[in-house]
Amino acid sequence: MTTENVLPLELIDKCIGSPIWVIMNGGKEFAGRLLGFDDYVNMVLEDVTEIDPIGGDKKLPKILLNGNNVCMMVPGGDGVSTFDDEEK
Amino acid sequence: MQDMQNGDSPQEVNQVGDTEDPSKFLGDIIGAPVVVKLNSDIVFRGTLQSVDGYMNISLERCREVDHNNKVVRDYGEAFVRGNNVIYICLDDGSV
């Protein structure tokens, strides 16, 4: 039996250069293109939308995101476009 | 790569194209105007003087701004402890 064993950070490594959706512990979200990351999962993101349920959305050209409060990372973009696709 | 374990550095696996890891980004933005957001949602603007591996930051001409980019306080030179930082954003005037 052969099972494809993809390690978590390997998955994220494959996302470099692609859109990624990052969900933080406090409920804040970031959607942008992943340029790189390190062992702490600090990330460099480009063309970012900061999605804040309370403060509203904000565009950011290029950020270094602290990995400390990262909860989940979803390859392939933001939830909005995912849901838009489903409606079509 | 087959022997890769959780916790291993992925750096050597893929360092091609426009990959830009955090340490390179930090090196590139020293001296540039930045926007720094803290966990408490406080936003600082200033010129990045230096930064270390903990994301401790020293800012020149550091101003605290509100949601409308209005200056709330003017600190001059300030040190921000890294554990409070959510992100450091390159300030190209559009933010």
Side-chain angles (χ1 to χ4, degrees):
Chain A
M1 191 180 80
T2 51
T3 37
E4 183 76 30
N5 188 15
V6 182
L7 295 165
L9 288 183
E10 232 175 276
L11 177 70
I12 301 309
D13 195 67
K14 285 177 182 161
C15 297
I16 288 177
S18 314
I20 196 164
W21 180 26
V22 184
I23 298 158
M24 312 291 283
N25 271 329
K28 208 182 274 261
E29 298 169 14
F30 293 88
R33 200 161 68 88
L34 181 68
L35 293 186
F37 68 97
D38 64 12
D39 289 353
Y40 303 104
V41 205
N42 299 321
M43 281 170 272
V44 183
L45 298 168
E46 199 174 51
D47 299 325
V48 187
T49 310
E50 177 187 350
I51 306 156
D52 186 345
I54 302 156
D57 293 4
K58 200 170 167 189
K59 293 277 184 194
L60 306 161
K62 199 175 195 182
I63 68 167
L64 171 62
L65 186 67
N66 194 338
N68 197 32
N69 295 308
V70 168
C71 173
M72 181 159 70
M73 294 151 80
V74 184
D78 57 40
V80 177
S81 51
T82 308
F83 292 132
D84 283 351
D85 289 346
E86 279 173 9
E87 280 170 23
K88 279 170 198 162
Chain B
M1 186 158 162
Q2 294 299 329
D3 301 327
M4 195 178 168
Q5 299 291 314
N6 275 338
D8 281 0
S9 169
Q11 304 295 335
E12 64 275 10
V13 178
N14 184 349
Q15 273 291 14
V16 289
D18 49 9
T19 301
E20 182 171 357
D21 58 25
S23 56
K24 180 183 181 300
F25 178 73
L26 286 175
D28 288 351
I29 63 169
I30 298 284
V34 290
V35 179
V36 177
K37 189 161 200 165
L38 308 188
N39 283 312
S40 50
D41 265 356
I42 292 171
V43 179
F44 292 118
R45 283 168 171 272
T47 306
L48 189 65
Q49 207 169 37
S50 68
V51 65
D52 63 15
Y54 298 107
M55 254 189 238
N56 294 325
I57 295 165
S58 71
L59 289 172
E60 260 179 338
R61 299 191 309 112
C62 176
R63 288 100 65 211
E64 181 184 335
V65 296
D66 64 12
H67 292 302
N68 304 313
N69 273 329
K70 198 170 146 271
V71 176
V72 182
R73 283 173 179 171
D74 200 329
Y75 292 104
E77 192 175 16
F79 171 89
V80 182
R81 197 177 136 98
N83 65 309
N84 302 298
V85 175
I86 301 187
Y87 66 69
I88 305 168
C89 177
L90 197 58
D91 184 6
D92 64 355
S94 68
V95 184

